[in-house]
Amino acid sequence: MTDRWFKIGLLVAPAFLITLVGGMAFTLMWGASSSFQQAGWGFYTQLTWDPVHHVYGGGVFILGSVVTTLLALCLAIPVALAIGLFTGYYFTTGPIAVMSQWVLDLLASVPSVIFGFWGLMVMVPAVRNIEMWLGVAPYGVGLFSGSVVLATMMIPLTASLIRESVATVSAELKEGALALGATPLEVVRHIVWPISLPGIGSAIMLGFGRAIGETMAVTMVVGNANHLPTHLFDPTNTIASLIASEFGETSDPVVVAHLIHLGLILLALSLAAGMLGRYIIRKQS
Amino acid sequence: MMSVPTTFRVIDLRVSIGVDAIIRGISMDFFANTVTSIMGPSGCGKTTFIRCMNRLHELVPSIQVSGDIVLFNQNIFSVNPMLIRRQVGMVFQRPNPFPTMSIFENVVAGYRLNGIRLAKSESSQIVETSLLKAGLWHEVKDSLHRKGAFLSGGQQQRLCIARALAMDPSVLLLDEPTSALDPKSTSHIEDLIAELKESVSIIMVTHNIGQASRVSDYTAFFLAGELVEYGTTQKLFTVPDDPRTEEYLSRKFG
Amino acid sequence: MHSSLGTDAKLSRRVLQDRLFKLILVGVALGVVLLLTTIIGFVIQQGISVINWSFFTHLPQPPGASHSGILNAILGTLMLTVLASLISIPVGIWCGVAMAEHPLHPLVKWAQVSVDGIQSIPSILFGIMAYLWVVVPMGQFSAVSGAVALSMIMLPIVIRAVEEAVRRVPTTMREASLALGVSPFRTTIKVVIPCALNGILTGSLLGVSRISGETAPLLFTAFGSPFLVISIFQPVQSMPILIYNYATSPYADWQQIGWGASLVLILFCFVLSVGTRWVFKR
């Protein structure tokens, strides 16, 4: 008797998960439906978000999210690659490697609100100094600060994933190349790099997916200005950050629908990155 | 040969997985209080065969079985497999004591896991007799409540035999029980098998011809899913009827 | 190629390139790791000064008042994580076991995609879902709604951990149990899950460590509260929300308390995530 229920339960579980995801998708679609109807495709090209005059466009936030994340990616990738190669290839054992790994694990477990806090208190004043020196408006907060904080948060995760991928390159191959007289750099370039490239690519995609949905740290330093940045240091806004600051504040169902619409776009971007990352991994193995 | 009571009767058993026929129509009887060896080259279906006898083959999703297996006049395919498995003990190729349980708990695992409550004195009694039968009692009696990880492979395998014997089975299935063990542990277990047949009928799969000739009363030779020859060990090893048996034995011994 | 192999000039150029690359790489890596370490150092340096006994036993006070504490946030975060765990650990074990038992079933394949999907959802969207599912019907912010949002973040972590742990239990364990006449249900409950317990625990604790620092999904679910709240149907304060509110406040002493709370939260997450990984590895 229990065994029949057990068998049924084992099949109900996956069905439950599929329904759960379906329910999530339905909830968001349903919540955003009035936004689809009212704004239509114009929502994506409209660059004004003005609740006072009832003009709602998502363009700024979509671009803001993508630009902030891409900039963060540009900052984080070289560093994450260096750390990944450092701990996955050059110093796989020994106190320095262990210490570095510890710091990375520790940082990976630090909640994003604390990165935001640090960004606000330490980095923003520093950026303000740079801005004064450069002669641009010294807000401190803005696109650049948002990207730097985001990059800081991405580095531990991306570096760990890259290290894992680099470390899977078999010792025989590396030793084989060294035995032919290659320098360690040439081993990296001709052996390690091509083999771990899919892993690195997927690490970057997963990092992108995580970063674009990241809310708190960005919302604290990006400036929350609902316009497109005109230069690197200009305050701007992202989807996640807009939702964080507006969703709880408004009781207007129209605004709620537009915010959920933006949330769906964010979801699509992050799902695409996640799926691409996983696709790269699967293709490799 | 027919004077001894039978345990299992296998009638035209055919097993296939997908399009591959694993067993192609085997019929044979097994006798009480004897050791029967099933030998043959790898891939001959001997492990699949023995796993059908307690219906453990059903773990393979796409497996197809026809024919009948009767145990003491009861068709095993017409009752709940759990009832059959409690009457028929099994020991596997690799020792597999439960790592989360102590030695004591491992021996009475068949009761505990089936939700059968035993009085404390009863379970102690079962543990002692089973471990004595398995020849392990004197080695472990002072550490019954420790987990079995410190035991050697041979000791672990004897613990698994004790676990099967604790359920007081009428038949014990051994699936290459010594294939993962060193020679000393192997001979220890072979001695044990010879002693055990007093109280339980044993059906053993082996890839080791020497083992079959040393411990078994009857031997069956399987080839490509068919039963080539079945008879007393002495006859099969000295004057086999079938040239394929002769060839297999000479090649293996040669 | 062949002839140039032996020339000294080429060899020394290759060696030079190699050294230079390694130097730059090690420099960048160590430099950034050091820089990142200073973040932790900064939190410790700022936070340690406000942490004392009354910090843990008092409620938050208005700016300028002494003996301000974070008791309500600590209890609130405990309440939220316990509630979320009560939802996602049982459900996660159930789903994880199911997915490990029938890996090839078409439903399970779709469920795999679903779990991947949930893992890619930005955490703030769980806040929106819990808002629409719980806050709107209940008519107010509450600890339950926050726990629902957090449990959806935790669920895929637990599922993946359980699935992997169950899959790693050797088939022979299952066979040994079945061969003793034990039912599939009892085999799973009494043999497979105990064998997989380490992995299940590790995954659950990693999940707890992950959600205990989540802020975004709580903004419009658990919301926050200056009071000590016992009811799970009331808005409740939490560590990350307290840090967010104090960090963005204009008062220096509130910010200082924010640093203290940050240090406590980092230690909590760190002990959970690194600690469990380290303990269960041996």
Side-chain angles (χ1 to χ4, degrees), chain B residues 34-51:
Chain B
T34 55
V35 178
T36 306
S37 286
I38 299 171
M39 65 176 193
S42 55
C44 70
K46 55 191 193 296
T47 289
T48 308
F49 181 80
I50 200 173
R51 286 167 72 94

Side-chain angles (χ1 to χ4, degrees), chain C:
Chain C
M1 221 37 219
H2 211 244
S3 56
S4 64
L5 196 69
T7 63
D8 281 355
K10 180 134 194 203
L11 188 68
S12 62
R13 217 186 80 211
R14 285 171 58 208
V15 170
L16 195 70
Q17 268 180 349
D18 178 55
R19 295 236 169 104
L20 202 66
F21 178 74
K22 189 172 171 182
L23 195 73
I24 293 172
L25 184 120
V26 171
V28 169
L30 275 183
V32 171
V33 168
L34 273 177
L35 215 68
L36 292 174
T37 318
T38 64
I39 300 181
I40 308 281
F42 188 77
V43 177
I44 295 175
Q45 183 215 327
Q46 293 289 318
I48 206 104
S49 64
V50 292
I51 292 183
N52 52 40
W53 183 242
S54 79
F55 187 68
F56 294 101
T57 56
H58 281 68
L59 289 180
Q61 306 295 325
S66 59
H67 289 301
S68 201
I70 56 167
L71 178 65
N72 61 340
I74 292 177
L75 292 180
T77 281
L78 281 180
M79 184 196 274
L80 287 168
T81 45
V82 168
L83 279 177
S85 305
L86 285 179
I87 302 172
S88 43
I89 292 176
V91 176
I93 292 178
W94 173 48
C95 294
V97 168
M99 288 165 73
E101 295 238 351
H102 297 294
L104 298 175
H105 196 282
L107 268 181
V108 172
K109 290 197 167 157
W110 280 103
Q112 297 283 10
V113 177
S114 305
V115 174
D116 282 350
I118 300 177
Q119 267 183 321
S120 311
I121 298 179
S123 64
I124 191 157
L125 295 185
F126 292 112
I128 294 185
M129 292 173 209
Y131 176 84
L132 295 173
W133 287 348
V134 187
V135 177
V136 171
M138 274 179 52
Q140 65 169 346
F141 299 118
S142 63
V144 208
S145 60
V148 167
L150 293 181
S151 70
M152 288 187 276
I153 300 173
M154 191 173 164
L155 185 62
I157 303 173
V158 179
I159 291 180
R160 286 276 178 259
V162 172
E163 199 192 341
E164 208 197 313
V166 168
R167 219 165 260 169
R168 252 195 260 139
V169 175
T171 339
T172 57
M173 289 302 135
R174 200 183 292 266
E175 287 176 348
S177 172
L178 291 172
L180 289 166
V182 181
S183 70
F185 173 65
R186 294 184 77 96
T187 297
T188 299
I189 298 289
K190 302 252 173 175
V191 175
V192 176
I193 290 182
C195 285
L197 202 62
N198 270 5
I200 295 175
L201 274 177
T202 312
S204 303
L205 290 173
L206 282 180
V208 169
S209 125
R210 167 77 197 279
I211 62 169
S212 55
E214 279 292 343
T215 321
L218 298 179
L219 286 171
F220 23 87
T221 53
F223 192 69
S225 157
F227 311 111
L228 196 62
V229 177
I230 308 297
S231 163
I232 60 169
F233 301 110
Q234 297 285 320
V236 64
Q237 186 61 300
S238 56
M239 296 289 284
I241 294 283
L242 176 131
I243 295 169
Y244 177 58
N245 289 340
Y246 282 11
T248 48
S249 80
Y251 312 111
D253 58 335
W254 273 15
Q255 288 168 3
Q256 213 58 42
I257 290 183
W259 287 122
S262 302
L263 180 55
V264 173
L265 189 57
I266 286 182
L267 279 176
F268 182 72
C269 292
F270 177 69
V271 167
L272 270 178
S273 81
V274 180
T276 47
R277 235 176 298 168
W278 190 78
V279 167
F280 285 114
K281 238 176 223 170
R282 11 225 94 197

Side-chain angles (χ1 to χ4, degrees), chain A residues 6-23:
Chain A
F6 178 61
K7 260 188 187 157
I8 295 169
L10 287 187
L11 289 180
V12 171
F16 161 77
L17 284 171
I18 298 165
T19 323
L20 180 66
V21 168

